[in-house]
Amino acid sequence: MLYGVLSGHEDDPGASALALRLMGAVHRIVLRGDAPELARHYPSAGGRPRNPWPAFLDTVRVYADALRRLLDDPVQTNETARCAGLLGGFLEIARRTRLPLRLLEVGASAGLNLRFDSYRYELGDERWGPADSDVVLRSRLTGRPPLDGPIRVVARAGCDARPVDPRSEEGRLTLAAYVWADQVERLERLSAALTVAGRVDAPVERARAAEWTADRLAEPADGAVSVVFHSIVMQYLPVAEREHFETALQDARGPLAWLRMEPQDERVTSLRLTLWPAGDELLLARVGYHGDPVEWLAPTG
Ligand SMILES: C[S@@+](CC[C@H](N)C(=O)[O-])C[C@H]1O[C@@H](n2cnc3c(N)ncnc32)[C@H](O)[C@@H]1O
């Protein structure tokens, strides 16, 4: 079955998402335009699924060698919709510090969320961001994030263990391939975010979270608050690296914010903020994994 493509992967850990890696690898071939028969069943390529199995098997047979190589790559995604939750956190930091923001994202993937202020938000009845943005993020909202206050981003940078270049053909293909082929709305949002990425600079270095954060925080912030943030990243860090990362935050000098959107349970993430020098932790919101809904919890005032 599957022409031996999965041979050798019998003991891959569940967390390595073998099924998604296989589907992503086949999707990549479809999006590249190399499997026209199968593309007729893929909504992401303008098709409609009607008994795709024979064409799927045929594609696996023809591209077996390429698929075996692609299976070595981990799943790599960058979900812009998470900005619907992160936005309130950035605004809360601006409101509390009254300083411009120097953004430092760890596990940034392609860095799409470093451009959060270029996107339009429709959160419940609230609106935020440029009305003519290519990216429109819609979420249900309860509570009141501080959407009225001013905010200014003066620097953006990120790191990732395996960064994706959103301005290269390969990078764009990688991000699209790991979105399920029938999630057309998500693919459209990704495509719009990639357009924004072509205009707004936000370099993502190949580096590991802890070391990169310590190095960046040793640099002067020039009157800005350094905002270290991440979404759905910490589970990928070994315990020792996570500890090293948190030590880098504790040891930093100058105004510092740590904003994180990480799993609370299988259904929802929690958005938490720690601001130094005080260092108290605040639970700001509960947010769906893809930014919907946003349940804002922190008092506005
Ligand atoms: C699930 S993705 C989330 C990407 C992005 N934060 C988002 O919300 O769309 C997790 C990311 O963490 C990165 N990553 C994993 N371990 C890392 C490490 N030790 N240091 C930096 N990045 C890491 C992965 O390469 C991947 O891009």
Side-chain angles (χ1 to χ4, degrees), residues 135-195:
V135 178
V136 182
L137 302 177
R138 297 185 179 89
S139 293
R140 292 161 292 168
L141 173 70
T142 51
R144 297 199 54 206
L147 297 177
D148 294 338
I151 187 165
R152 191 159 68 93
V153 175
V154 290
R156 335 173 180 256
C159 80
D160 198 282
R162 292 178 66 97
V164 179
D165 178 359
R167 293 176 174 173
S168 75
E169 202 54 49
E170 274 300 292
R172 290 165 177 256
L173 197 53
T174 296
L175 293 174
Y178 291 114
V179 176
W180 294 114
D182 60 348
Q183 294 183 329
V184 175
E185 193 183 328
R186 212 174 145 203
L187 284 158
E188 285 171 355
R189 185 166 65 231
L190 171 63
S191 165
L194 291 171
T195 302

Side-chain angles (χ1 to χ4, degrees), residues 74-83 86 105-113 159-164 205-210 212 229-238 241 261-262 289:
V75 173
Q76 183 56 284
T77 55
N78 198 178
E79 186 44 75
T80 309
R82 292 189 182 128
C83 289
L86 292 168
E105 183 178 9
V106 302
S109 183
L112 301 182
N113 295 348
C159 80
D160 198 282
R162 292 178 66 97
V164 179
E205 273 180 65
R206 181 179 296 274
R208 297 194 68 92
W212 183 83
F229 75 99
H230 48 85
S231 54
I232 320 296
V233 171
M234 281 302 120
Q235 70 215 61
Y236 301 105
L237 268 57
E241 188 181 358
M261 180 178 155
E262 294 291 342
Y289 273 78

Side-chain angles (χ1 to χ4, degrees), residues 194-276:
L194 291 171
T195 302
V196 173
R199 285 199 303 273
V200 181
D201 284 336
V204 179
E205 273 180 65
R206 181 179 296 274
R208 297 194 68 92
E211 207 178 334
W212 183 83
T213 302
D215 288 350
R216 293 292 78 74
L217 291 179
E219 296 165 349
D222 294 331
V225 52
S226 298
V227 179
V228 174
F229 75 99
H230 48 85
S231 54
I232 320 296
V233 171
M234 281 302 120
Q235 70 215 61
Y236 301 105
L237 268 57
V239 174
E241 188 181 358
R242 215 180 300 175
E243 285 170 7
H244 180 186
F245 169 71
E246 293 194 17
T247 305
L249 295 170
Q250 303 287 349
D251 290 351
R253 298 270 174 277
L256 172 64
W258 177 25
L259 181 68
R260 60 268 193 209
M261 180 178 155
E262 294 291 342
Q264 175 176 302
D265 55 38
E266 283 177 1
R267 194 182 52 85
V268 83
T269 74
S270 58
L271 181 71
R272 292 174 192 274
L273 171 65
T274 307
L275 265 176
W276 284 274

Side-chain angles (χ1 to χ4, degrees), residues 38-44 46-53 181-182 184:
L38 184 58
R40 290 170 48 202
H41 302 275
Y42 272 55
S44 56
R48 257 188 39 209
R50 268 178 291 202
N51 186 23
W53 193 233
D182 60 348
V184 175

